[in-house]
Amino acid sequence: VQLQASGGGLVHAGGSLRLSCTPSESSYSISAVSWYRQAPGNQRELVADLTSGGVTRYAEFVKGRFVISRDVAKNAVYLQMNNLKPEDTAVYYCAADLQYMGSRAGDYWGQGTQVTVSS
């Protein structure tokens, strides 16, 4: 199984994007998930968390602008990014704790999706 991240692109400052993250095989489900980002020359940093119980946590630099959510029926998690700023430009990664047939399958990383915000 792979974790597939998508939804990145080029957007003007103030615009919005929605990133998606989903397992490549429908028999796997996402339990907990985190979104990270890494800009060139910078370390990877945590953007937002969503626990299996639905608790969310955000980095200070995205609070009030980004929303992490889950759609159980679609077996997907999302990162809605609003009011984007040039400093949000980075490769965004999802990392998830996957379940298979009710048991923990392990931690997986998506391949990353590029977000570029122009000024």
Side-chain angles (χ1 to χ4, degrees), residues 10-65:
L10 173 64
V11 65
H12 291 298
S16 297
L17 285 172
R18 189 179 77 160
L19 306 184
S20 301
C21 180
T22 185
S24 59
E25 298 177 25
S26 59
S27 54
Y28 289 79
S29 61
I30 295 175
S31 175
V33 65
S34 300
W35 285 97
Y36 291 83
R37 70 186 188 185
Q38 187 168 20
N42 290 357
Q43 291 187 334
R44 190 170 295 186
E45 57 187 0
L46 178 65
V47 175
D49 275 336
L50 174 61
T51 71
S52 58
V55 177
T56 59
R57 181 179 61 167
Y58 297 93
E60 283 296 325
F61 51 79
V62 302
K63 277 185 179 178
R65 300 188 297 124

Side-chain angles (χ1 to χ4, degrees), residues 28-29 97-106:
Y28 289 79
S29 61
D97 180 356
L98 297 185
Q99 299 270 308
Y100 178 76
M101 305 293 284
S103 297
R104 186 173 184 275

Side-chain angles (χ1 to χ4, degrees), residues 11-16 83-86 117-119:
V11 65
H12 291 298
S16 297
N83 190 23
L84 283 160
K85 304 176 181 181
V117 185
S118 63
S119 57

